[in-house]
Amino acid sequence: MAEIEHPKPFADWETRAYWEGCGRGEIVLQRCGACSKVQHRPRALCASCLSGDIEHFVASGRGQVYTFTVTLQNNAPGFREACPYVLAYVELEEGPRLLTNVVGCAPDAVSIGMPVVADFTAPDRDLAVPRFRPA
Amino acid sequence: MTLSGNIAIAGVYEHPTRWAPDKSDYQIMGESARGALEDCGLGIDDVDGLFAAGMGMGVMGVVTLAEYLDLKPRYLDGTNIGGSSFVAHVNHAAGAIHAGLCDVALILYGSTAASQAMAIGTGGRGGQDAHASFISPYGLTTVGSYALVAQRHMHEYGTRPEQLAEIAVTMRKHASLNPAAKMRNEISVADVLESRVISDPLHLLDCCIISDGGGAIVVTSAERARDLAKPRVLLRGCGEAVCHQETGAPDLLTIAARQSSEQAFRMSGLTQDDVDVAAIYDSFTITLLVTLENLGFCKPGEGGAFVEGGRIGLGGALPVNPDGGGLSSNHPGMRGIFLVIEAARQLRGECGPRQVEGAQVGLVHGTGGTLGVAHSGATLLLTGD
Ligand SMILES: [Zn+2]
């Protein structure tokens, strides 16, 4: 079973801090300086209060599986060869739920509530794709 | 004057094709337009509002369609919010007619998704823009996005694969009564559970089929519809809603149907108990189950028990998709238009062996997009005349 050949993320100026964080092995989230709300995906302004006072911070990288599916059929190249693979939402300790893959264990070993920790692909031009593995 | 009760679906047409490699999407739309206008006794020259959405139409598709039909309407709407678009088009048409911006609205869909071998459920690497980059690295398929919802529903409420399978079995039973349906051989719960898993916990037979097809709807004022060829189907309530990943922590089990149906019921003065027949988007078995909960037909978590024992079958307490739905009748990429057509025909009492006896109140709910990531919903409440 091959690993997923992840399409390279495209970073623009709003999302670059997130993807560069992944390149360093960190999950970077945003917090609003005006209302303190944490948000993901990254935006140029706070979606709750529309303030432009946005700061980035490094999250713990720890979380648990919120839901998942073992994908047995995906006809797209790069994914086809990796079936079966686990697509999941991981709920971070800081709140946001990230769409991601769970790797590093048999697909049928994954369960909802399972503790996981971020695990990054090898960086490519300073960007990397975050997946999660059992903690 | 309120909108509720003063707008009518006057004509409908479901294109009989399920496989049309020799037709273009626009040809299917044109033939469907002819069918719906003949159905109500109007002509193409009466049309002054044009509504359409499609998977291959492009951002100005409704303009291309106007040229194809040589129409110069005074109201154009190319809203595309996924498979629910055509349900939303009825809302928009009602608003436009009520405001005097057009008199006769024509809503069209046509697609050759099957004969073009469009990879709808399990293909595609996704887009590469800044937004898509949070999704496309992970191999999300359409089936997968709904499977994420199914897995969470099973975890929270103990919903069983057999309960999801019963939905597929019921839709197939309905399709066996519909001569135009693509899949008409009856299936059992065991057949569903033994079909191969596409994205756990969804099996092949938990997924809608892929067909070609199309349809058309004519909407006008209740007053004008009074003199037309077919019994009027009156719009009593409507609503739209959207759900997405918010700022990072979506509740996957509260879907757009919650908000859109609350508005539609409020506008109509009707309740869930009044509904005789429902047409609900069934892209996957889980779609129908979680939509029934969010429409308020049962409480959150009770959907599994609700669909058991033939309750959503013909003769049950709430017959759903007597035509066989997307699971068995047709699903050409986007399916919302067929929900409206089937509900209207049921309320006109013309559905033959699959007719819900004495149906007076119909509910339509369309879902568009991918349930577990970002989707839209649109609800209609309709009554016979
Ligand atoms: Zn804020």
Side-chain angles (χ1 to χ4, degrees):
Chain A
M1 177 181 98
E3 275 215 28
I4 292 173
E5 198 182 301
H6 298 283
K8 302 283 185 293
F10 172 85
D12 65 7
W13 68 272
E14 288 189 274
T15 64
R16 180 157 293 282
Y18 177 80
W19 294 111
E20 288 182 349
C22 293
R24 296 190 303 271
E26 296 171 345
I27 300 285
V28 171
L29 299 176
Q30 290 184 328
R31 185 185 289 115
C32 175
C35 77
S36 301
K37 177 128 188 215
V38 172
Q39 71 179 11
H40 180 77
R41 60 177 280 242
R43 298 159 166 90
L45 45 73
C46 170
S48 302
C49 75
L50 302 185
S51 166
D53 181 11
I54 292 290
E55 59 185 29
H56 289 90
F57 69 99
V58 177
S60 68
R62 286 189 298 272
Q64 54 174 308
V65 175
Y66 172 73
T67 188
F68 71 100
T69 178
V70 180
T71 306
L72 283 96
Q73 182 179 331
N74 183 344
N75 298 329
F79 294 107
R80 183 174 47 218
E81 301 79 5
C83 290
Y85 62 85
V86 178
L87 174 77
Y89 271 112
V90 164
E91 183 173 288
L92 298 176
E93 286 181 343
E94 293 80 6
R97 294 174 187 147
L98 267 55
L99 195 66
T100 187
N101 299 119
V102 176
V103 298
C105 65
D108 60 9
V110 176
S111 61
I112 289 177
M114 185 171 97
V116 289
V117 61
D119 178 286
F120 299 84
T121 56
D124 177 81
R125 282 170 304 171
D126 305 326
L127 309 182
V129 173
R131 300 94 43 97
F132 287 78
R133 59 176 163 76
Chain B
M1 191 172 75
T2 165
L3 185 154
S4 179
N6 286 303
I7 301 295
I9 294 170
V12 294
Y13 182 77
E14 179 185 306
H15 201 292
T17 191
R18 299 295 186 268
W19 179 252
D22 55 334
K23 293 184 195 290
S24 72
D25 294 1
Y26 290 103
Q27 181 179 356
I28 294 174
M29 286 188 258
E31 291 172 359
S32 298
R34 183 171 66 210
L37 290 165
E38 278 174 4
D39 183 53
C40 61
L42 288 169
I44 190 72
D45 294 341
D46 294 309
V47 173
D48 62 357
L50 184 63
F51 299 69
M55 300 179 71
M57 289 178 77
V59 289
M60 279 178 58
V62 73
V63 173
T64 309
L65 175 63
E67 179 181 271
Y68 187 90
L69 296 173
D70 192 20
L71 282 174
K72 290 192 173 168
R74 60 190 177 112
Y75 197 88
L76 287 162
D77 188 329
T79 301
N80 189 337
I81 55 171
S84 58
S85 298
F86 316 92
V87 184
H89 289 166
V90 175
N91 298 357
H92 300 182
I97 293 163
H98 193 60
L101 299 176
C102 67
D103 291 322
V104 175
L106 177 63
I107 302 169
L108 295 178
Y109 182 61
S111 168
T112 49
S115 57
Q116 287 178 37
M118 210 179 269
I120 292 166
T122 56
R125 281 171 67 86
Q128 284 301 296
D129 60 42
H131 179 70
S133 289
F134 288 90
I135 299 169
S136 53
Y138 306 110
L140 174 83
T141 63
T142 305
V143 188
S145 80
Y146 288 80
L148 291 170
V149 175
Q151 193 84 265
R152 185 72 202 178
H153 202 278
M154 289 176 168
H155 173 78
E156 280 198 25
Y157 300 121
T159 308
R160 290 177 287 109
E162 292 80 2
Q163 294 172 319
L164 291 175
E166 185 150 346
I167 294 172
V169 170
T170 305
M171 294 307 111
R172 186 61 61 86
K173 192 167 189 169
H174 291 171
S176 74
L177 302 171
N178 176 6
K182 181 167 177 174
M183 304 297 283
R184 303 189 60 203
N185 58 317
E186 291 207 33
I187 55 173
S188 67
V189 167
D191 289 334
V192 180
L193 299 181
E194 284 163 18
S195 66
R196 69 194 160 86
V197 175
I198 304 292
S199 197
D200 177 47
L202 298 179
H203 306 76
L204 178 66
L205 293 178
D206 284 301
C207 304
C208 64
I209 59 171
I210 300 174
S211 70
D212 295 341
I217 305 165
V218 176
V219 184
T220 189
S221 66
E223 193 53 42
R224 182 155 186 182
R226 194 187 301 279
D227 302 324
L228 297 178
K230 293 287 171 68
R232 302 181 299 177
V233 173
L234 298 170
L235 179 66
R236 298 293 178 178
C238 54
E240 292 171 35
V242 66
C243 283
H244 43 62
Q245 297 193 60
E246 304 170 11
T247 50
D251 166 10
L252 294 196
L253 303 183
T254 301
I255 68 168
R258 172 77 54 192
Q259 182 186 324
S260 64
S261 66
E262 280 174 1
Q263 175 175 317
F265 276 114
R266 200 179 318 121
M267 190 190 295
S268 70
L270 297 162
T271 71
Q272 285 81 353
D273 287 340
D274 296 320
V275 176
D276 299 313
V277 60
I280 298 174
Y281 211 119
D282 59 341
S283 46
F284 301 92
T285 51
I286 184 64
T287 321
L288 181 44
L289 187 146
V290 77
T291 304
L292 285 166
E293 293 177 357
N294 281 269
L295 292 172
F297 286 110
C298 60
K299 292 194 175 72
E302 291 179 353
F306 187 85
V307 300
E308 286 182 316
R311 193 178 276 104
I312 63 168
L314 282 163
L318 180 70
V320 178
N321 300 344
D323 62 337
L327 286 164
S328 286
S329 177
N330 59 346
H331 195 296
M334 300 163 83
R335 186 166 201 277
I337 202 158
F338 306 113
L339 303 171
V340 181
I341 293 169
E342 177 68 4
R345 297 192 64 207
Q346 287 284 341
L347 296 173
R348 295 189 334 198
E350 58 186 47
C351 290
R354 68 173 195 273
Q355 177 66 41
V356 175
E357 273 320 305
Q360 277 302 307
V361 177
L363 176 143
V364 172
H365 183 81
T367 297
T370 49
L371 205 58
V373 179
H375 71 274
S376 65
T379 309
L380 308 177
L381 279 157
L382 306 170
T383 58
D385 203 5

